[in-house]
Each structure stands twice: as structure tokens, then as C-alpha cells.
Amino acid sequence: LILPQAVLDAPEHGCLNIHASLLPRWRGAAPIHRAIMAGDPETGICIMQMEAGLDTGPVLLRKATAIGAEETTAQLHDRLSEMGAALIVDALSRLAELTPEVQPEAGVTYAEKIDKGEAQINWTRPAAEVDRQIRGLSPFPGAWCEIEGQRVKLLASKLAEGQGAPGEVLDDNLTIACGSGAVQLLRLQRAGKSAQDPEVFLRGYPVSKGCRL
């Protein structure tokens, strides 16, 4: 919901928002997902003055943080939540002395809402893109593929060594070949089951080396 101008004008110092990106990059609904999926090396928190536009207001404070090589949206969300809580307290305590910084026109990107149609894995893509898709869509909606005819959510991964036909299982540790390179699956979830580490998953649902996902 975009707040009407009357509401935005009601407080003496206007309305402030905690936004989980380094504006003007990733304005919009899903900045954490999109930053990971795009392969951004860093993201952060902006405390911004709210305007009628979508995340267009001047920035009062910003703080950057590196995105971990194996970090999921859930993990990054929790870190940014803590950063945002600390930064808004800082902003409120120094509100009178902070100078709003107008967002530049250059570098504007929009973080569109995540569509469930983005979740199916295409193993012909490069490993880096598949890995970012898995981590960026974890935990919701959860990237997925079919393993032996059953849909399985993939909730964590990392880049791995190996080559093979796209979707080929390369070893007994769930290393999967992509269009180029490979990824190792670190967290999986079958329908009706809890999320599991690879060794637990494989005990209940064996996946043979050489099979194709």
C-alpha cells in the first residue's frame, strides 16, 4: 500500500522507512531476493524519508554489508533486520542533524515481486546463476526440480567442481552439473517433509550418481 500524501505529511518530521537495499538500487517489493539472484556483492540498509513514489524518497542514513557466497535470502533478511533496527534508532536519535540525500537518477533498478514461475530450476543455465536462484528463493517460494518424478525444493547450495550433462548427478554428495560448472545441494525438502541436509535426505530418498534431474 502506498500511503496517501495526507498521511505522509501528518508527522512533524514526515514518515521514515527502513529499506533493505542500497537505494536507488532495488526499489520495490523484493530487494533481498533480487540482490542475491543478480549476484550483487553487497547490499545494505537505507533509512529514507517516504514519498508518494515507490521508495523514491531522500536517504537519511545508509549502511552496506557484503553478501556471503553461500548466504540465502532468509539468512540475509535476518542480518538486515538487525542492521535496520539499529540504524532506525540511530536516525531517530539524530533526526534534527541529519541531511536528507536525494537519490540519484543513475542506477535505479526495481525489485519486482517474486513470481512462483521463477522457481523451477533450468539446469542448462550456468552454475553461478543456478546457485543464486536457489539461495535467492530460499525459503520462499523455494527453487525446485524433479528428482525421480517427485518435486523437491532446493533451499541451499554452493558452487562446486565438476562437469557433465545439465542436471546430471556427479557424485554421492548431490553435486549437480549445470550448463557450465556445477552446484552442490546443501538443503532439500520433499513435499510433506521437513528441510534436510544431504546425508539425511539421501538416507530416505536415494539419488544415484549418473541420474538426471
Side-chain angles (χ1 to χ4, degrees):
L1 176 65
I2 300 296
L3 295 179
Q5 193 63 49
V7 173
L8 296 176
D9 293 340
E12 179 181 353
H13 298 286
C15 296
L16 301 184
N17 181 47
I18 308 169
H19 187 77
S21 81
L22 298 175
L23 294 167
R25 186 162 178 80
W26 301 129
R27 295 174 179 172
I32 303 175
H33 303 73
R34 296 297 179 193
I36 290 178
M37 292 172 73
D40 290 3
E42 67 174 9
T43 186
I45 291 291
C46 284
I47 306 299
M48 53 171 289
Q49 291 182 333
M50 296 175 69
E51 295 181 341
L54 182 63
D55 300 325
T56 58
V59 174
L60 295 175
L61 286 176
R62 67 174 64 225
K63 185 174 183 180
T65 184
I67 298 175
E70 297 178 22
E71 199 162 26
T72 65
T73 285
Q75 293 165 335
L76 182 55
H77 169 277
D78 290 350
R79 287 207 299 118
L80 291 175
S81 293
E82 293 185 3
M83 287 174 57
L87 211 59
I88 190 66
V89 170
D90 184 22
L92 291 173
S93 69
R94 300 192 290 123
L95 197 55
E97 65 188 67
L98 295 176
T99 301
E101 175 189 319
V102 176
Q103 294 185 37
E105 293 295 326
V108 173
T109 58
Y110 287 92
E112 302 288 345
K113 289 182 179 178
I114 297 297
D115 187 288
K116 289 184 178 180
E118 300 177 70
Q120 184 174 7
I121 296 292
N122 177 356
W123 295 107
T124 66
R125 296 169 64 197
E129 294 181 10
V130 173
D131 173 60
R132 296 197 304 256
Q133 180 185 9
I134 292 170
R135 293 184 295 108
L137 297 181
S138 177
F140 181 83
W144 64 272
C145 70
E146 288 192 352
I147 302 178
E148 302 289 347
Q150 184 172 150
R151 182 182 290 202
V152 178
K153 281 188 177 183
L154 312 178
L155 299 175
S157 61
K158 67 178 181 179
L159 295 176
E161 298 292 330
Q163 293 288 340
E168 181 183 353
V169 179
L170 299 177
D171 57 22
D172 297 326
N173 298 311
L174 289 178
T175 300
I176 315 299
C178 300
S180 59
V183 297
Q184 184 180 359
L185 305 180
L186 302 177
R187 196 89 172 143
L188 305 92
Q189 184 176 20
R190 286 192 289 157
K193 303 288 185 180
S194 60
Q196 297 173 324
D197 294 334
E199 56 271 20
V200 177
F201 178 86
L202 290 170
R203 282 203 294 268
Y205 196 75
V207 179
S208 302
K209 178 181 177 182
C211 82
R212 295 282 293 275
L213 308 191

Coordinates of all heavy atoms in Angstrom, one line a residue, residues 6-94:
A6 N -1.6 12.8 2.5 CA -2.1 13.4 3.8 C -1.4 12.6 5.0 O -1.1 13.3 6.0 CB -3.6 13.3 3.9
V7 N -1.3 11.3 4.9 CA -0.7 10.6 6.0 C 0.8 10.9 6.0 O 1.4 11.0 7.1 CB -0.9 9.0 5.7 CG1 -0.1 8.2 6.8 CG2 -2.4 8.7 5.8
L8 N 1.5 10.9 4.9 CA 2.9 11.2 4.8 C 3.2 12.6 5.4 O 4.3 12.8 6.0 CB 3.4 11.2 3.4 CG 3.3 9.8 2.7 CD1 3.8 9.9 1.2 CD2 4.2 8.8 3.4
D9 N 2.3 13.5 5.3 CA 2.5 14.9 5.7 C 2.1 15.1 7.2 O 2.5 16.1 7.8 CB 1.7 15.9 4.9 CG 2.2 16.0 3.5 OD1 3.4 15.6 3.2 OD2 1.5 16.4 2.6
A10 N 1.4 14.1 7.8 CA 0.9 14.3 9.1 C 2.0 14.5 10.2 O 1.9 15.4 11.0 CB -0.1 13.2 9.5
P11 N 3.0 13.6 10.3 CA 4.0 13.8 11.3 C 4.9 15.0 11.1 O 5.1 15.4 9.9 CB 4.9 12.5 11.2 CG 4.0 11.5 10.4 CD 3.2 12.4 9.5
E12 N 5.3 15.6 12.1 CA 6.2 16.8 12.0 C 7.4 16.6 11.2 O 7.8 17.5 10.4 CB 6.6 17.3 13.4 CG 7.4 18.5 13.4 CD 7.9 18.9 14.8 OE1 7.4 18.3 15.8 OE2 8.7 19.8 15.0
H13 N 8.0 15.4 11.3 CA 9.2 15.1 10.5 C 9.0 14.2 9.4 O 9.9 13.6 8.9 CB 10.3 14.6 11.5 CG 10.7 15.5 12.5 ND1 11.5 16.6 12.3 CD2 10.5 15.6 13.9 CE1 11.7 17.3 13.4 NE2 11.1 16.7 14.4
G14 N 7.7 14.0 9.0 CA 7.4 13.1 7.9 C 7.5 11.7 8.4 O 7.6 11.4 9.5
C15 N 7.4 10.7 7.4 CA 7.4 9.3 7.7 C 8.8 8.7 7.2 O 9.3 9.1 6.2 CB 6.3 8.6 6.9 SG 4.6 9.1 7.5
L16 N 9.3 7.8 8.0 CA 10.6 7.2 7.7 C 10.3 5.7 7.4 O 9.4 5.1 7.9 CB 11.6 7.3 8.8 CG 12.0 8.7 9.3 CD1 13.0 8.6 10.4 CD2 12.4 9.5 8.1
N17 N 11.2 5.2 6.5 CA 11.1 3.8 6.1 C 12.4 3.1 6.3 O 13.5 3.7 6.0 CB 10.6 3.6 4.7 CG 10.4 2.2 4.3 OD1 9.9 1.4 5.0 ND2 10.9 1.9 3.1
I18 N 12.5 1.8 6.7 CA 13.7 1.0 6.7 C 13.7 0.2 5.4 O 12.8 -0.7 5.3 CB 13.8 0.1 7.9 CG1 13.6 0.9 9.2 CG2 15.1 -0.6 8.0 CD1 13.4 0.0 10.4
H19 N 14.5 0.5 4.5 CA 14.5 -0.3 3.2 C 15.8 -1.1 3.1 O 16.9 -0.7 3.3 CB 14.4 0.7 2.0 CG 14.3 0.0 0.7 ND1 13.0 -0.5 0.3 CD2 15.2 -0.3 -0.3 CE1 13.2 -1.1 -0.9 NE2 14.5 -1.0 -1.2
A20 N 15.6 -2.4 2.7 CA 16.7 -3.4 2.7 C 17.4 -3.4 1.3 O 17.5 -4.4 0.7 CB 16.1 -4.7 3.0
S21 N 17.9 -2.3 0.9 CA 18.9 -2.2 -0.2 C 19.6 -0.9 -0.2 O 19.3 0.0 0.6 CB 18.1 -2.3 -1.6 OG 17.6 -1.1 -2.0
L22 N 20.6 -0.8 -1.0 CA 21.4 0.5 -1.2 C 20.7 1.3 -2.3 O 21.1 1.2 -3.4 CB 22.8 0.2 -1.4 CG 23.6 -0.6 -0.3 CD1 25.0 -1.0 -0.8 CD2 23.6 0.2 1.0
L23 N 19.7 2.1 -1.9 CA 19.0 2.9 -2.9 C 19.9 3.8 -3.7 O 20.9 4.3 -3.1 CB 17.9 3.6 -2.2 CG 16.8 2.8 -1.5 CD1 16.0 3.6 -0.6 CD2 15.9 2.2 -2.6
P24 N 19.6 4.0 -5.0 CA 18.4 3.7 -5.7 C 18.3 2.2 -6.3 O 17.4 1.9 -7.0 CB 18.3 4.7 -6.8 CG 19.8 4.9 -7.2 CD 20.5 4.8 -5.8
R25 N 19.3 1.4 -6.0 CA 19.2 0.0 -6.5 C 18.2 -0.8 -5.7 O 18.2 -0.7 -4.5 CB 20.6 -0.6 -6.4 CG 20.7 -2.0 -7.0 CD 22.1 -2.5 -7.3 NE 22.2 -3.8 -7.9 CZ 22.0 -4.1 -9.1 NH1 21.6 -3.2 -10.0 NH2 22.1 -5.4 -9.6
W26 N 17.4 -1.5 -6.4 CA 16.4 -2.4 -5.8 C 15.3 -1.7 -5.0 O 15.1 -2.0 -3.9 CB 17.0 -3.5 -5.0 CG 17.9 -4.4 -5.8 CD1 19.2 -4.7 -5.5 CD2 17.7 -5.0 -7.1 NE1 19.8 -5.5 -6.5 CE2 18.9 -5.7 -7.5 CE3 16.6 -5.0 -8.0 CZ2 19.0 -6.4 -8.7 CZ3 16.7 -5.7 -9.2 CH2 17.9 -6.4 -9.5
R27 N 14.7 -0.6 -5.6 CA 13.5 -0.1 -5.1 C 12.4 -1.2 -5.3 O 12.5 -2.0 -6.2 CB 13.0 1.1 -5.8 CG 13.9 2.3 -5.7 CD 13.5 3.4 -6.6 NE 14.3 4.6 -6.5 CZ 14.2 5.7 -7.3 NH1 13.3 5.7 -8.2 NH2 15.0 6.7 -7.1
G28 N 11.4 -1.3 -4.4 CA 10.3 -2.2 -4.6 C 10.2 -3.3 -3.6 O 10.8 -3.3 -2.5
A29 N 9.5 -4.4 -4.0 CA 9.0 -5.4 -3.1 C 9.9 -6.4 -2.6 O 9.8 -7.0 -1.5 CB 7.7 -6.0 -3.7
A30 N 10.9 -6.8 -3.4 CA 11.7 -8.0 -3.1 C 13.2 -7.7 -3.2 O 13.9 -8.3 -4.0 CB 11.4 -9.1 -4.0
P31 N 13.7 -6.6 -2.5 CA 15.1 -6.2 -2.7 C 16.1 -7.3 -2.3 O 17.2 -7.4 -2.9 CB 15.2 -4.9 -1.9 CG 14.2 -5.1 -0.8 CD 13.0 -5.8 -1.5
I32 N 15.8 -8.1 -1.3 CA 16.8 -9.0 -0.8 C 16.9 -10.2 -1.8 O 18.0 -10.6 -2.1 CB 16.4 -9.5 0.6 CG1 16.3 -8.4 1.6 CG2 17.4 -10.6 1.2 CD1 15.8 -8.8 3.0
H33 N 15.8 -10.7 -2.2 CA 15.8 -11.8 -3.2 C 16.6 -11.4 -4.4 O 17.4 -12.1 -4.9 CB 14.4 -12.2 -3.6 CG 13.4 -12.6 -2.5 ND1 12.9 -11.7 -1.6 CD2 12.9 -13.8 -2.2 CE1 12.1 -12.3 -0.8 NE2 12.1 -13.6 -1.1
R34 N 16.2 -10.2 -4.9 CA 16.8 -9.7 -6.2 C 18.3 -9.5 -6.1 O 19.0 -9.7 -7.1 CB 16.1 -8.5 -6.7 CG 14.6 -8.7 -7.0 CD 14.4 -9.6 -8.1 NE 12.9 -9.9 -8.4 CZ 12.5 -10.8 -9.1 NH1 13.3 -11.7 -9.7 NH2 11.2 -11.0 -9.3
A35 N 18.7 -9.0 -5.0 CA 20.2 -8.7 -4.8 C 21.0 -10.0 -4.9 O 22.0 -10.1 -5.6 CB 20.5 -8.0 -3.5
I36 N 20.5 -11.1 -4.3 CA 21.2 -12.3 -4.3 C 21.1 -12.9 -5.7 O 22.1 -13.4 -6.3 CB 20.6 -13.3 -3.3 CG1 21.0 -12.9 -1.9 CG2 21.1 -14.7 -3.5 CD1 20.4 -13.7 -0.8
M37 N 19.9 -12.9 -6.3 CA 19.7 -13.5 -7.6 C 20.5 -12.8 -8.7 O 20.9 -13.4 -9.7 CB 18.2 -13.5 -8.0 CG 17.4 -14.5 -7.1 SD 15.6 -14.4 -7.3 CE 15.5 -15.2 -8.9
A38 N 20.8 -11.5 -8.5 CA 21.5 -10.8 -9.5 C 23.0 -10.9 -9.3 O 23.8 -10.5 -10.1 CB 21.2 -9.3 -9.4
G39 N 23.5 -11.5 -8.2 CA 24.9 -11.7 -7.9 C 25.5 -10.4 -7.4 O 26.8 -10.3 -7.5
D40 N 24.8 -9.6 -6.7 CA 25.3 -8.3 -6.2 C 26.3 -8.7 -5.1 O 26.1 -9.6 -4.2 CB 24.3 -7.5 -5.5 CG 23.4 -6.8 -6.6 OD1 23.5 -7.1 -7.8 OD2 22.5 -6.0 -6.2
P41 N 27.5 -8.1 -5.0 CA 28.5 -8.4 -4.0 C 28.1 -7.8 -2.6 O 28.6 -8.3 -1.6 CB 29.8 -7.7 -4.5 CG 29.3 -6.6 -5.4 CD 28.0 -7.1 -6.0
E42 N 27.3 -6.8 -2.6 CA 26.9 -6.2 -1.4 C 25.4 -5.7 -1.5 O 24.9 -5.5 -2.5 CB 27.8 -5.1 -0.9 CG 27.8 -3.9 -1.8 CD 28.6 -2.7 -1.3 OE1 29.4 -2.9 -0.3 OE2 28.5 -1.6 -1.8
T43 N 24.9 -5.4 -0.3 CA 23.6 -4.8 -0.2 C 23.6 -4.0 1.1 O 24.7 -3.6 1.6 CB 22.4 -5.8 -0.2 OG1 21.2 -5.1 -0.2 CG2 22.5 -6.7 1.0
G44 N 22.5 -3.6 1.7 CA 22.5 -2.8 2.9 C 21.2 -2.3 3.3 O 20.1 -2.8 2.9
I45 N 21.2 -1.3 4.2 CA 20.0 -0.7 4.7 C 20.0 0.8 4.4 O 21.1 1.4 4.6 CB 19.9 -1.0 6.3 CG1 19.7 -2.4 6.6 CG2 18.8 -0.1 6.9 CD1 18.3 -2.9 6.2
C46 N 18.9 1.3 4.0 CA 18.7 2.8 3.9 C 17.6 3.2 4.8 O 16.5 2.6 4.8 CB 18.4 3.2 2.5 SG 19.9 3.2 1.4
I47 N 17.8 4.2 5.6 CA 16.7 4.9 6.3 C 16.3 6.1 5.4 O 17.1 7.0 5.2 CB 17.1 5.4 7.7 CG1 17.7 4.2 8.5 CG2 15.9 6.0 8.4 CD1 16.8 3.1 8.8
M48 N 15.1 6.0 4.9 CA 14.7 7.0 3.9 C 13.4 7.8 4.3 O 12.6 7.2 5.1 CB 14.4 6.4 2.6 CG 13.5 5.2 2.7 SD 13.0 4.5 1.0 CE 12.0 5.8 0.5
Q49 N 13.3 9.0 3.8 CA 12.0 9.7 4.0 C 11.0 9.2 3.0 O 11.3 9.1 1.8 CB 12.2 11.2 3.9 CG 13.1 11.8 5.0 CD 13.2 13.3 4.8 OE1 13.2 13.8 3.7 NE2 13.4 14.0 5.9
M50 N 9.8 8.9 3.4 CA 8.8 8.3 2.5 C 8.2 9.4 1.7 O 7.9 10.5 2.1 CB 7.8 7.6 3.3 CG 8.4 6.3 4.0 SD 7.2 5.5 5.0 CE 6.1 4.8 3.8
E51 N 8.0 9.1 0.4 CA 7.3 10.0 -0.6 C 6.1 9.2 -1.2 O 6.0 8.0 -0.9 CB 8.2 10.5 -1.7 CG 9.3 11.4 -1.2 CD 10.2 11.8 -2.4 OE1 10.2 11.2 -3.5 OE2 10.9 12.8 -2.2
A52 N 5.3 9.8 -2.0 CA 4.2 9.1 -2.7 C 4.8 8.1 -3.7 O 4.1 7.1 -3.9 CB 3.4 10.1 -3.4
G53 N 6.0 8.3 -4.2 CA 6.6 7.3 -5.1 C 7.1 6.0 -4.4 O 7.2 6.0 -3.2
L54 N 7.4 5.0 -5.2 CA 7.8 3.7 -4.6 C 9.3 3.8 -4.2 O 10.2 3.7 -5.1 CB 7.5 2.6 -5.6 CG 7.9 1.2 -5.1 CD1 7.1 0.8 -3.9 CD2 7.7 0.2 -6.3
D55 N 9.6 4.0 -3.0 CA 11.0 4.0 -2.5 C 11.9 5.1 -3.2 O 13.0 4.8 -3.4 CB 11.6 2.6 -2.6 CG 10.9 1.5 -1.8 OD1 10.4 1.9 -0.8 OD2 10.8 0.4 -2.3
T56 N 11.3 6.2 -3.4 CA 12.0 7.3 -4.2 C 12.5 8.4 -3.2 O 13.2 9.3 -3.7 CB 11.0 7.9 -5.2 OG1 9.9 8.4 -4.5 CG2 10.6 6.9 -6.2
G57 N 12.2 8.3 -2.0 CA 12.5 9.5 -1.1 C 13.9 9.6 -0.7 O 14.7 8.7 -0.9
P58 N 14.3 10.8 -0.2 CA 15.7 11.1 0.2 C 16.2 10.1 1.3 O 15.4 9.7 2.1 CB 15.7 12.5 0.7 CG 14.4 13.1 0.1 CD 13.4 11.9 0.0
V59 N 17.5 9.8 1.3 CA 18.0 8.9 2.2 C 18.7 9.6 3.4 O 19.5 10.5 3.1 CB 19.0 7.9 1.5 CG1 19.8 7.1 2.5 CG2 18.3 7.1 0.5
L60 N 18.4 9.3 4.6 CA 19.0 9.9 5.8 C 20.2 9.2 6.2 O 21.2 9.8 6.6 CB 18.0 9.9 6.9 CG 16.7 10.8 6.7 CD1 15.8 10.6 7.9 CD2 17.1 12.3 6.6
L61 N 20.2 7.9 6.2 CA 21.4 7.1 6.6 C 21.4 5.8 5.8 O 20.4 5.3 5.3 CB 21.2 6.6 8.1 CG 21.5 7.7 9.2 CD1 21.2 7.0 10.6 CD2 22.9 8.2 9.2
R62 N 22.6 5.3 5.5 CA 22.8 4.1 4.8 C 23.9 3.3 5.4 O 24.9 3.9 5.9 CB 22.9 4.3 3.3 CG 24.2 5.0 2.9 CD 24.3 5.0 1.3 NE 23.3 5.8 0.7 CZ 22.6 5.4 -0.3 NH1 22.8 4.2 -0.9 NH2 21.6 6.1 -0.9
K63 N 23.8 2.0 5.3 CA 24.9 1.1 5.8 C 25.0 -0.1 4.9 O 24.0 -0.8 4.6 CB 24.7 0.7 7.2 CG 25.9 -0.1 7.8 CD 25.6 -0.4 9.3 CE 26.8 -1.1 9.9 NZ 26.7 -1.4 11.4
A64 N 26.2 -0.4 4.4 CA 26.4 -1.5 3.5 C 26.9 -2.8 4.2 O 27.5 -2.7 5.3 CB 27.4 -1.1 2.4
T65 N 26.6 -3.9 3.6 CA 27.2 -5.2 4.1 C 27.4 -6.1 2.9 O 26.6 -6.1 1.9 CB 26.2 -5.8 5.1 OG1 26.8 -7.0 5.6 CG2 24.9 -6.2 4.5
A66 N 28.4 -6.9 3.0 CA 28.7 -7.9 1.9 C 27.7 -9.0 2.0 O 27.2 -9.4 3.0 CB 30.2 -8.4 2.1
I67 N 27.4 -9.6 0.8 CA 26.5 -10.8 0.7 C 27.4 -12.0 0.7 O 28.3 -12.1 -0.1 CB 25.7 -10.7 -0.5 CG1 24.7 -9.5 -0.5 CG2 24.8 -12.0 -0.7 CD1 23.9 -9.3 -1.7
G68 N 27.2 -12.9 1.6 CA 28.0 -14.1 1.7 C 27.9 -15.0 0.5 O 26.8 -15.1 -0.1
A69 N 28.9 -15.7 0.2 CA 28.9 -16.6 -1.0 C 27.9 -17.7 -0.9 O 27.4 -18.2 -2.0 CB 30.3 -17.2 -1.2
E70 N 27.5 -18.1 0.3 CA 26.5 -19.2 0.4 C 25.3 -18.7 1.2 O 24.4 -19.5 1.6 CB 27.1 -20.4 1.2 CG 28.3 -21.0 0.5 CD 28.9 -22.2 1.2 OE1 28.2 -22.7 2.1 OE2 30.1 -22.5 1.0
E71 N 25.1 -17.4 1.3 CA 24.0 -16.8 2.1 C 22.7 -16.9 1.3 O 22.6 -16.6 0.1 CB 24.3 -15.4 2.4 CG 23.5 -14.8 3.5 CD 24.1 -13.5 4.1 OE1 24.8 -12.8 3.4 OE2 23.9 -13.3 5.3
T72 N 21.6 -17.3 2.0 CA 20.3 -17.4 1.5 C 19.5 -16.1 1.8 O 19.9 -15.3 2.6 CB 19.5 -18.5 2.0 OG1 19.3 -18.3 3.4 CG2 20.2 -19.9 1.8
T73 N 18.4 -15.9 1.1 CA 17.5 -14.8 1.4 C 17.1 -14.7 2.9 O 17.1 -13.7 3.5 CB 16.3 -14.8 0.5 OG1 16.7 -14.4 -0.8 CG2 15.2 -13.8 1.0
A74 N 16.8 -15.9 3.5 CA 16.4 -16.0 4.9 C 17.5 -15.5 5.8 O 17.3 -14.7 6.7 CB 16.0 -17.4 5.2
Q75 N 18.7 -15.9 5.5 CA 19.9 -15.5 6.4 C 20.2 -14.0 6.2 O 20.4 -13.3 7.2 CB 21.1 -16.4 6.0 CG 20.9 -17.8 6.4 CD 22.0 -18.7 5.7 OE1 22.5 -18.4 4.6 NE2 22.2 -19.9 6.3
L76 N 20.2 -13.6 5.0 CA 20.4 -12.1 4.8 C 19.3 -11.3 5.3 O 19.6 -10.2 5.9 CB 20.6 -11.9 3.3 CG 21.0 -10.5 2.8 CD1 22.2 -10.0 3.5 CD2 21.2 -10.4 1.3
H77 N 18.1 -11.7 5.2 CA 17.0 -11.0 5.8 C 17.2 -10.8 7.3 O 17.0 -9.7 7.8 CB 15.7 -11.8 5.5 CG 14.5 -11.3 6.3 ND1 14.3 -11.6 7.6 CD2 13.5 -10.4 5.9 CE1 13.1 -11.0 8.0 NE2 12.7 -10.3 7.0
D78 N 17.6 -11.8 8.0 CA 17.7 -11.7 9.4 C 18.9 -10.7 9.8 O 18.8 -9.9 10.7 CB 18.0 -13.1 10.0 CG 16.7 -13.9 10.0 OD1 15.7 -13.4 9.7 OD2 16.9 -15.2 10.3
R79 N 20.0 -10.8 9.0 CA 21.1 -9.8 9.3 C 20.6 -8.4 9.0 O 20.9 -7.5 9.8 CB 22.3 -10.2 8.4 CG 23.0 -11.4 8.8 CD 24.5 -11.4 8.4 NE 24.7 -11.3 7.0 CZ 25.3 -10.2 6.4 NH1 25.7 -9.2 7.1 NH2 25.4 -10.2 5.1
L80 N 19.9 -8.2 7.9 CA 19.5 -6.8 7.6 C 18.5 -6.3 8.6 O 18.4 -5.1 8.8 CB 18.9 -6.8 6.2 CG 20.0 -7.0 5.0 CD1 19.3 -7.1 3.7 CD2 21.0 -5.9 5.0
S81 N 17.6 -7.2 9.1 CA 16.7 -6.8 10.1 C 17.4 -6.2 11.3 O 16.9 -5.2 11.9 CB 15.8 -8.0 10.6 OG 15.0 -8.4 9.5
E82 N 18.4 -6.9 11.8 CA 19.2 -6.4 12.9 C 19.8 -5.0 12.6 O 19.8 -4.1 13.4 CB 20.2 -7.4 13.4 CG 19.6 -8.6 14.0 CD 20.7 -9.6 14.5 OE1 21.9 -9.2 14.5 OE2 20.3 -10.7 15.0
M83 N 20.4 -4.9 11.4 CA 21.0 -3.7 11.0 C 20.0 -2.6 10.9 O 20.2 -1.4 11.3 CB 21.7 -3.9 9.6 CG 23.0 -4.7 9.6 SD 23.6 -5.0 7.9 CE 23.8 -3.3 7.3
G84 N 18.8 -2.9 10.3 CA 17.8 -1.9 10.2 C 17.3 -1.4 11.5 O 17.0 -0.2 11.7
A85 N 17.1 -2.3 12.5 CA 16.7 -1.9 13.8 C 17.7 -0.9 14.5 O 17.2 0.1 15.1 CB 16.5 -3.1 14.7
A86 N 18.9 -1.2 14.4 CA 20.0 -0.3 15.0 C 20.0 1.0 14.2 O 20.1 2.1 14.9 CB 21.3 -1.0 14.9
L87 N 19.9 1.0 12.9 CA 20.0 2.2 12.1 C 18.8 3.1 12.3 O 19.0 4.4 12.3 CB 20.2 1.9 10.6 CG 21.1 2.8 9.8 CD1 22.5 2.9 10.4 CD2 21.1 2.4 8.4
I88 N 17.6 2.6 12.5 CA 16.5 3.5 12.7 C 16.5 4.2 14.0 O 16.2 5.3 14.2 CB 15.1 2.7 12.5 CG1 13.9 3.7 12.5 CG2 14.9 1.7 13.6 CD1 13.9 4.6 11.3
V89 N 17.0 3.4 15.0 CA 17.2 4.1 16.4 C 18.2 5.2 16.3 O 18.0 6.3 16.8 CB 17.7 3.0 17.4 CG1 18.1 3.7 18.7 CG2 16.5 2.0 17.6
D90 N 19.3 5.0 15.6 CA 20.3 6.0 15.4 C 19.7 7.2 14.6 O 19.9 8.3 15.0 CB 21.5 5.4 14.6 CG 22.6 6.4 14.4 OD1 22.8 7.3 15.2 OD2 23.4 6.2 13.4
A91 N 19.0 6.9 13.6 CA 18.4 8.0 12.8 C 17.4 8.9 13.7 O 17.4 10.1 13.6 CB 17.6 7.5 11.6
L92 N 16.6 8.2 14.5 CA 15.6 8.9 15.3 C 16.3 9.8 16.4 O 15.9 10.9 16.7 CB 14.6 8.0 15.9 CG 13.7 7.3 14.9 CD1 12.9 6.2 15.7 CD2 12.7 8.3 14.3
S93 N 17.4 9.2 16.9 CA 18.1 10.0 17.9 C 18.8 11.2 17.4 O 19.2 12.1 18.1 CB 19.1 9.1 18.6 OG 20.2 8.7 17.8
R94 N 19.1 11.2 16.1 CA 19.9 12.3 15.5 C 19.1 13.0 14.3 O 19.6 13.7 13.5 CB 21.2 11.8 14.9 CG 22.1 11.2 15.9 CD 23.5 11.0 15.4 NE 23.6 10.0 14.4 CZ 24.1 10.1 13.1 NH1 24.5 11.3 12.7 NH2 24.1 9.2 12.3

